[in-house]
Amino acid sequence: MDNLLITVEQWISVDFLFKLTIISIISFVASLAIIPVILVRLPHDYFDTRAPRNWMKNHHPILRILGLIAKNIIGGVFLIAGFIMLFLPGQGILTMLVGLSFLDFPNKRLLEAKIIKQPIILSTINTMRQKYNKSPLTLS
């Protein structure tokens, strides 16, 4: 075991491993707090491809553009954090799903629908929503 530790220390500094551990703990706790709040607050038909989504439709065009830029940056952060959580503690798949929902790209809704239709993901989210007396997600 000591040899393994010495080998790891040759490639990665102890200070870096300590910082990575702290970041991992913070991201794990943050994902446990933030992801359920977001998923519970979504409208029940958010992942229904038949329901229109008009984000900031009635706002000034400059505010809409700034909002879209901010939304995409937040989505990218959630997507990257979710990917990292696949290897570190945290809710990786759910975090990535939230990140995808913030991003704007072609056929995004079809990808979201494909992910959310996975039985374990849908049941996990609906169980979470049920705890807060929210109606289950409806899909097309």
Side-chain angles (χ1 to χ4, degrees):
M1 189 67 168
D2 290 336
N3 290 336
L4 178 64
L5 184 59
I6 292 170
T7 304
V8 169
E9 286 178 351
Q10 289 175 350
W11 293 96
I12 303 171
S13 70
V14 174
D15 186 48
F16 179 76
L17 287 174
F18 180 74
K19 289 177 183 176
L20 187 63
T21 303
I22 297 299
I23 291 170
S24 176
I25 291 168
I26 291 170
S27 68
F28 176 70
V29 171
S31 74
L32 290 177
I34 294 170
I35 299 304
V37 170
I38 292 171
L39 292 173
V40 166
R41 295 192 65 181
L42 286 176
H44 70 91
D45 62 349
Y46 184 82
F47 294 106
D48 189 342
T49 55
R50 299 170 297 188
R53 287 192 207 163
N54 298 316
W55 192 72
M56 293 182 69
K57 181 180 178 181
N58 298 325
H59 289 80
H60 191 276
I62 293 175
L63 285 177
R64 182 171 164 77
I65 290 171
L66 291 175
L68 287 172
I69 290 170
K71 185 174 79 118
N72 279 289
I73 290 171
I74 292 169
V77 168
F78 272 101
L79 190 64
I80 291 168
F83 180 75
I84 292 170
M85 284 181 214
L86 292 175
F87 306 102
L88 300 173
Q91 303 175 15
I93 300 292
L94 293 177
T95 306
M96 289 173 66
L97 181 63
V98 168
L100 284 174
S101 69
F102 277 101
L103 293 172
D104 290 313
F105 57 89
N107 294 323
K108 170 185 100 166
R109 294 194 69 185
L110 296 175
L111 178 61
E112 286 176 335
K114 186 175 182 178
I115 293 170
I116 202 74
K117 285 181 182 176
Q118 301 300 316
I120 193 160
I121 294 174
L122 184 60
S123 67
T124 300
I125 293 171
N126 283 337
T127 301
M128 201 179 305
R129 291 175 64 85
Q130 185 180 16
K131 288 180 185 178
Y132 294 96
N133 297 320
K134 297 287 185 173
S135 59
L137 295 175
T138 57
L139 305 175
S140 59

